[in-house]
Amino acid sequence: MTPDIKDKDYIYTTLNNYNIYFDFLCLSYFLKKQGEMEEICDNYVYQIDKKRGSNFSKSMSRDQAMDILSKYYLANESELSNKDIKFTKASYDFMEKRKASIAAID
């Protein structure tokens, strides 16, 4: 059954998902530009962009990359905020739901 695109919950969830993907995309771009965590950023970006990532051989899942990027963001939030890298509430909610897997990263 296809979702009713007029359904407010469906629209809200879809927009939140895009916000989350975009927040992590911006963080990945920033980190890659800084020369940090390049493999993790590539794994996230190429799995989001199916056209560019079709020939990319991933070394981790998108969720694993998001957990590592989440941990980095939370540990460096004030520094990143000073550089205008700020996550939306949807991304904080996402990280809250995945708190256990984020905490398990060494």
Side-chain angles (χ1 to χ4, degrees), residues 63-78:
D63 286 346
Q64 289 172 313
M66 289 175 86
D67 287 345
I68 294 168
L69 291 169
S70 295
K71 185 166 186 163
Y72 180 88
Y73 181 84
L74 293 170
N76 299 287
E77 185 175 4
S78 61

Side-chain angles (χ1 to χ4, degrees), residues 60-96:
M60 68 181 64
S61 72
R62 181 186 68 202
D63 286 346
Q64 289 172 313
M66 289 175 86
D67 287 345
I68 294 168
L69 291 169
S70 295
K71 185 166 186 163
Y72 180 88
Y73 181 84
L74 293 170
N76 299 287
E77 185 175 4
S78 61
E79 177 187 330
L80 292 168
S81 288
N82 290 337
K83 296 177 181 176
D84 287 330
I85 307 291
K86 299 176 184 171
F87 276 14
T88 60
K89 181 177 179 341
S91 294
Y92 281 106
D93 292 347
F94 170 82
M95 290 187 282
E96 182 66 27

Side-chain angles (χ1 to χ4, degrees), residues 21-36:
Y21 291 149
F22 186 71
D23 284 345
F24 282 95
L25 191 63
C26 290
L27 179 60
S28 295
Y29 175 77
F30 172 79
L31 291 173
K32 192 161 169 125
K33 189 175 172 185
Q34 301 295 318
E36 298 180 49

Side-chain angles (χ1 to χ4, degrees), residues 18-51:
Y18 283 121
N19 281 334
I20 294 166
Y21 291 149
F22 186 71
D23 284 345
F24 282 95
L25 191 63
C26 290
L27 179 60
S28 295
Y29 175 77
F30 172 79
L31 291 173
K32 192 161 169 125
K33 189 175 172 185
Q34 301 295 318
E36 298 180 49
M37 302 173 65
E38 290 182 34
E39 181 182 353
I40 295 159
C41 294
D42 284 346
N43 272 280
Y44 176 72
V45 171
Y46 287 125
Q47 289 180 63
I48 294 299
D49 186 350
K50 302 289 185 198
K51 288 181 184 175

